[in-house]
Amino acid sequence: MEWTSNIESALRSNHGRSGHENFSLLHLFQHLNGGVFDDQEEVDYAKAVSLSEMEAVKQEALIIEKQKMKVITSQIEEDEELANAMQLSLVMECSLSNNSAHASSSRPFLASASKIICARCNTEISIREHVFEHNGIVWHIECLVCHTCKQLIKDDELCMFENRPYHTSCPRNLRHSKCYVCNNFIPHSNGVVEFREHPFWKQKHCPSHATDGTSICVSCERLQPKGINYILLKDGRSLCPNCSSFKIMDTNECQPLFHEIQEFFSSLNMKLNQEIPLGMVEREALNNAMEGEKNGHHHLSETRGLCLSEEQTIPIIHEMKHIGSRSILELLTKQRRLVRNCEVTAILILYGLPRLLTGSILAHEMMHAWLRLQGYPNLKPEIEEGICQVLAHMWLKSKINVGSETAMGAASSSSSLRPPRSNKDKKLSEIEKKLGECFIRQIELDDSQAYGDGFRVGEQAVSKYGLKKTLDHIKLTQTFPV
């Protein structure tokens, strides 16, 4: 009876057998017990066996489905890794291209050609990580934070400034993106702040102010900030408050400065023996006088001085008056016939410019006069205007003591003379000294061929050979020594 009990247990367990196998065991069990199942028992048992088989099929289908999902998930992960790898590869190629095209730019975000480094945390970015890229700069998503407020930046809020990320309208970002002129946020384009900057004063402003009619000082070239009043001269030129406080308005006021420039030339052993008339004039009179000149002149877009060689009648400003409480200026002019007694008829200077700028223009025009009176032949523009700018540059440096010892020493080394600073010179205020430095930079940064390139070649020659030997070489060869 023990083995019949085993058959009965096998029937009940029903593990790993088909329906036919179960029915075979059933009939064996029936035969051993000497009887048969009635019809209802067989039906009930068949149902149980069927349900058992259906459960087995479901379990097998579930196992197959899980295996399929595992394959799909693995494929998705592989696709994501491939996509991230391709993205980082493109970023790396862009960064390498930018680095090769702009070797001097600061791009510290590529550690090597085989890996990408996060611009904030300086750790390597793996291909499994989500990143944000802008112009070859890469961050972890969680590392893209505003340099000012330290909060996360979304891709549509990014504004780059000096290679640092900011929110486009971060309330704490005032010192980085405020316009000097309108005091508004400087606009950005494609996440990059676009601005203009004065080469000397370093004041940033919106690009639109260069063309929207904003006033600019004719002297220091600063744009008029909102809330600051500029002085408007009679001929339409504007002066900032700083330049206006040092302006020279008429011929009588300019005479002491004219004598000072003459003494400067005498200290260089370049004294002018002829007496040359001086006249302060308005812009229209200066332009008309230039058109009447037969000698070749190569002036800037804004003519500010002229060494006259033809006989002309010029309206000279001899006096300036203030009218009323608003200090409206009235210029009193006299028609003056300038007679040619030598190669130079007169020196004309535009009125209303500050003292140091007026002096540098006087030095420039005085050099034109000296060249003519000394019999120098007609020179190329870059030679004549270049050496005249060298003298203007030297005078400015002697006034504000910027490199004057080396500059003056080099200029006069061949003649054993060093231009002394006049005992009458009084110490310049910090404002006037800063203006003088600005005028020096204007000469040095001029991009015109005659005034800019000519000055730079001339200054190198004077620094190397001294002023006298340079002038002798120009007279002999009509070129600068090299």
Side-chain angles (χ1 to χ4, degrees), residues 39-234:
D39 292 339
Q40 184 61 43
E41 286 178 334
E42 285 196 19
V43 169
D44 292 340
Y45 190 81
K47 287 182 179 180
V49 170
S50 177
L51 291 173
S52 177
E53 286 187 340
M54 289 177 65
E55 184 65 27
V57 171
K58 287 182 180 179
Q59 291 294 331
E60 184 177 357
L62 183 61
I63 292 172
I64 294 173
E65 186 68 23
K66 287 182 178 180
Q67 290 175 344
K68 288 182 178 179
M69 290 299 296
K70 185 175 181 181
V71 170
I72 293 173
T73 302
S74 176
Q75 185 63 44
I76 291 174
E77 290 178 352
E78 290 180 2
D79 290 345
E80 287 182 348
E81 289 182 3
L82 179 60
N84 286 335
M86 292 176 65
Q87 179 185 6
L88 288 180
S89 176
L90 290 173
V91 170
M92 185 159 53
E93 290 178 6
C94 177
S95 299
L96 288 171
S97 175
N98 287 337
N99 283 346
S100 62
H102 306 284
S104 62
S105 63
S106 175
R107 306 188 70 84
F109 311 114
L110 264 180
S112 72
S114 61
K115 60 183 179 180
I116 298 291
I117 302 299
C118 175
R120 183 167 186 261
C121 67
N122 290 323
T123 60
E124 184 178 356
I125 298 175
S126 72
I127 61 174
R128 293 178 179 272
E129 295 179 290
H130 293 288
V131 299
F132 186 90
E133 183 271 338
H134 179 82
N135 288 344
I137 305 175
V138 188
W139 299 266
H140 295 105
I141 292 295
E142 64 274 14
C143 287
L144 184 59
V145 298
C146 177
H147 186 70
T148 301
C149 68
K150 310 304 180 186
Q151 300 300 311
L152 284 174
I153 302 175
K154 297 179 182 179
D155 57 355
D156 59 344
E157 297 176 343
L158 176 65
C159 173
M160 293 297 294
F161 184 82
E162 295 180 347
N163 265 357
R164 292 173 177 173
Y166 296 90
H167 288 110
T168 54
S169 58
C170 181
R172 302 183 189 180
N173 196 16
L174 303 181
R175 68 187 181 92
H176 293 285
S177 57
K178 282 281 189 173
C179 172
Y180 164 77
V181 177
C182 64
N183 203 34
N184 295 324
F185 284 106
I186 296 176
H188 63 88
S189 175
N190 297 324
V192 178
V193 175
E194 295 181 345
F195 61 89
R196 301 280 180 86
E197 184 178 67
H198 193 285
F200 178 79
W201 303 104
K202 303 301 181 184
Q203 295 161 337
K204 298 177 177 63
H205 62 85
C206 305
S208 60
H209 297 313
T211 57
D212 64 3
T214 300
S215 296
I216 183 172
C217 179
V218 296
S219 172
C220 67
E221 299 177 343
R222 283 180 286 187
L223 290 171
Q224 181 178 5
K226 183 179 179 180
I228 301 297
N229 292 325
Y230 272 29
I231 304 301
L232 185 63
L233 298 176
K234 184 179 178 181

Side-chain angles (χ1 to χ4, degrees), residues 334-353:
K334 286 184 179 180
Q335 295 290 333
R336 182 174 175 183
R337 181 66 182 174
L338 298 174
V339 180
R340 178 173 179 173
N341 295 319
C342 60
E343 290 296 320
V344 179
T345 306
I347 289 178
L348 305 180
I349 302 293
L350 188 63
Y351 86 98
L353 300 176

Side-chain angles (χ1 to χ4, degrees), residues 355-416:
R355 191 176 75 92
L356 290 181
L357 182 55
T358 302
S360 69
I361 298 170
L362 273 171
H364 180 103
E365 300 304 330
M366 188 82 76
M367 189 60 191
H368 278 301
W370 188 89
L371 291 172
R372 293 181 195 174
L373 294 173
Q374 295 298 316
Y376 278 69
N378 291 329
L379 302 173
K380 294 180 180 178
E382 57 269 27
I383 303 300
E384 183 164 351
E385 301 297 349
I387 195 62
C388 290
Q389 283 292 77
V390 168
L391 267 293
H393 190 262
M394 288 170 57
W395 181 81
L396 280 170
K397 280 196 167 186
S398 73
K399 294 302 295 181
I400 63 175
N401 301 319
V402 177
S404 59
E405 293 301 320
T406 56
M408 296 300 101
S412 58
S413 59
S414 61
S415 60
S416 302

